[in-house]
Amino acid sequence: IISFLAFTTSLKAQEKTMELSLNDAIKYALENSYNTKAAENDILAAKKVKWETTTIGLPQVNAKIDYQNFLKQPVSLLPAAAFDNRTSVVETVEDFFGLTRDSSPPSADGFIPVVFGTKQNINAAVTLTQLLFDGSYLVGLQSAKTYLQISEQAKEKTELATREAVINAYGNVLVAEK
């Protein structure tokens, strides 16, 4: 019995009567119609597509920064004889002072460890691009404008259909009341 009373009470609570004039009924229908809301969402989507297409032709700025930190730099071993300049120094001194050499200096043996490059490296780049002329861009821009116009016209058609349906329903209610 309690569940039956709760059920009937909830049914009565869900009933809602409204007295509306024809203009109020049309306004209520346009504000709450699923089709009208969908048409408004289509217009918003068309505006976003139009803006997205427009931005393709705007200047584009790209920036890039690369940073490298070599924790352990590679070491190359070069023959020490390749960097031995003692012979040329001795010849220069002998030529300058007019001396003669009794023996040549000993040549260097082994390898010299050499590190090439830097421990840290940073590179930065900024590019600016501008679309000067592109036929496909102009066609796309015109298509986006047309899409927006079609969406706006579809909304207008939906509103007219909703108005017509409300007017017909309102008239049927008035006829039924008499």
Side-chain angles (χ1 to χ4, degrees), residues 75-84 108-115:
V75 176
S76 299
L77 297 175
L78 299 176
F83 296 100
D84 184 20
D109 292 333
F111 294 95
I112 299 174
V114 179
V115 177

Side-chain angles (χ1 to χ4, degrees), residues 19-160:
E19 291 186 23
L20 299 171
S21 68
L22 178 60
N23 288 335
D24 290 340
I26 291 172
K27 182 179 175 186
Y28 182 81
L30 290 176
E31 289 174 357
N32 296 301
S33 170
Y34 173 78
N35 292 336
T36 304
K37 289 179 182 179
E40 289 171 356
N41 288 338
D42 289 343
I43 288 175
L44 291 175
K47 286 180 180 179
K48 288 182 180 180
V49 167
K50 181 182 174 190
W51 176 245
E52 183 179 324
T53 306
T54 302
T55 59
I56 293 171
L58 296 177
Q60 307 288 322
V61 178
N62 296 319
K64 177 181 164 184
I65 296 177
D66 292 327
Y67 173 73
Q68 295 176 329
N69 183 11
F70 297 104
L71 299 175
K72 187 173 182 181
Q73 290 180 282
V75 176
S76 299
L77 297 175
L78 299 176
F83 296 100
D84 184 20
N85 63 355
R86 286 181 286 178
T87 306
S88 64
V89 170
V90 170
E91 288 176 356
T92 304
V93 170
E94 288 175 348
D95 290 344
F96 184 75
F97 291 107
L99 302 173
T100 57
R101 183 176 1 166
D102 295 338
S103 67
S104 63
S107 64
D109 292 333
F111 294 95
I112 299 174
V114 179
V115 177
F116 293 104
T118 59
K119 184 159 178 68
Q120 297 181 5
N121 186 17
I122 189 166
N123 292 320
V126 177
T127 57
L128 173 69
T129 57
Q130 169 69 52
L131 183 64
L132 295 177
F133 179 78
D134 186 5
S136 62
Y137 169 70
L138 297 175
V139 169
L141 195 58
Q142 189 62 38
S143 298
K145 287 179 184 178
T146 304
Y147 176 56
L148 179 60
Q149 289 175 348
I150 289 171
S151 297
E152 289 171 347
Q153 290 171 355
K155 181 184 179 230
E156 187 177 331
K157 181 180 176 185
T158 301
E159 287 178 352
L160 290 173

